[in-house]
Amino acid sequence: MSKIPVYFMPGMAASSTIFERIDLPVDTFEVILLEWELPKSKETLTGYAKRMAEQIKYKNVVLVGVSFGGVLVQEMAPFLTLRKLIIISSVKCTAELPRRMKIAKTTKAYKLIPTGWLQDVEKLVKYAFGDGLKKRFKLYEKYLHMRNKIYLDWAIEQMICWERAVIDSNVIHIHGDADEVFPFKNIKGCITIKGGTHMMILNRFRWFNSNLPKLILGEEL
């Protein structure tokens, strides 16, 4: 293949529409968007990653994952031949997880999260009070694709209970210093986006359009 295949994996429950403003030079790159699938009964994250890796039809590809999608692409990596492995707004090991997630793992509090509400996000939009809340629910309505309770329960457990002590040195990590989900203070060895939030793939797309090609080709930023 003459072009460099770049596979994008969205964050938890999100669809590939989160990458709608990502625009890489078409003469150099072929962008391929991945979507979440329902996990099989009692499927491990490793098993799921292996199944997702089977969708990758090329060798020497680039994997880009956002948030929980960043965790997934790290788990997919051993099954593939990669050119680059890039994670955005994510974590490289369990030590980078926030304290609240570590507590949730110990107490199993994550099992109490009412994931069923996401199936009725349209109703929540109608009854939300305040413009800020309505705007956020509208974002959920647009970008959250996988609202199935089985998937959500599985994904939350896999994220909180992820076990990785040693960081993969091949990972290129891009993180915002205003990330509210994975606080920047816990993140080591990343490319820092000043003022970047957990949603920066949506509102900092110009930075990614300018710099992802450089990172993939091994050029200086």
Side-chain angles (χ1 to χ4, degrees):
M1 185 178 185
S2 57
K3 296 182 182 181
I4 299 172
V6 185
Y7 286 82
F8 284 87
M9 188 73 216
M12 185 183 294
S15 77
S16 62
T17 55
I18 68 167
F19 303 114
E20 62 187 359
R21 294 180 177 177
I22 299 301
D23 185 18
L24 304 185
V26 295
D27 57 336
T28 307
F29 305 100
E30 179 178 348
V31 171
I32 302 132
L33 304 176
L34 296 170
E35 301 284 2
W36 291 103
E37 297 184 354
L38 276 178
K40 296 179 180 179
S41 178
K42 298 182 180 179
E43 189 169 29
T44 63
L45 183 59
T46 300
Y48 188 94
K50 184 177 181 180
R51 189 156 58 90
M52 290 295 289
E54 290 171 358
Q55 296 185 28
I56 310 298
K57 302 304 180 185
Y58 304 109
K59 290 186 177 180
N60 208 30
V61 304
V62 178
L63 283 185
V64 182
V66 174
S67 193
F68 180 50
V71 169
L72 178 64
V73 296
Q74 290 175 78
E75 294 297 316
M76 291 168 63
F79 303 108
L80 298 165
T81 303
L82 298 183
R83 177 187 291 261
K84 286 288 191 298
L85 178 58
I86 301 172
I87 66 171
I88 300 165
S89 305
S90 189
V91 291
K92 302 183 292 298
C93 65
T94 51
E96 294 185 338
L97 290 172
R99 184 170 178 267
R100 64 180 179 277
M101 287 190 183
K102 294 175 182 176
I103 292 172
K105 177 182 178 180
T106 302
T107 62
K108 297 191 184 302
Y110 61 87
K111 292 181 179 292
L112 304 176
I113 298 172
T115 50
W117 71 269
L118 276 173
Q119 298 174 59
D120 296 315
V121 70
E122 291 87 354
K123 292 180 181 177
L124 287 168
V125 170
K126 292 178 182 177
Y127 295 108
F129 294 97
D131 291 337
L133 196 56
K134 283 185 178 180
K135 186 176 181 181
R136 176 162 291 190
F137 278 133
K138 280 293 184 184
L139 283 175
Y140 290 157
E141 189 176 20
K142 178 176 181 181
Y143 294 111
L144 289 192
H145 167 70
M146 182 62 83
R147 302 178 192 172
N148 183 285
K149 190 178 188 303
I150 293 172
Y151 163 82
L152 290 167
D153 289 342
W154 173 86
I156 289 169
E157 181 172 11
Q158 300 308 313
M159 181 69 255
I160 289 176
C161 297
W162 187 45
E163 293 287 351
R164 175 165 294 204
V166 180
I167 293 174
D168 183 346
S169 60
N170 294 315
V171 173
I172 297 172
H173 189 174
I174 306 170
H175 210 83
D177 65 4
D179 193 302
E180 64 278 16
V181 175
F182 298 122
F184 183 72
K185 65 181 181 180
N186 299 327
I187 306 299
K188 307 299 182 186
C190 70
I191 297 168
T192 305
I193 308 299
K194 296 293 184 183
T197 67
H198 198 66
M199 304 283 283
M200 66 183 182
I201 193 66
L202 295 174
N203 53 33
R204 292 294 187 89
F205 62 91
R206 292 183 182 86
W207 187 95
F208 290 102
N209 289 343
S210 295
N211 292 287
L212 279 179
K214 296 176 186 176
L215 288 171
I216 293 169
L217 296 173
E219 300 173 357
E220 289 189 16
L221 298 185

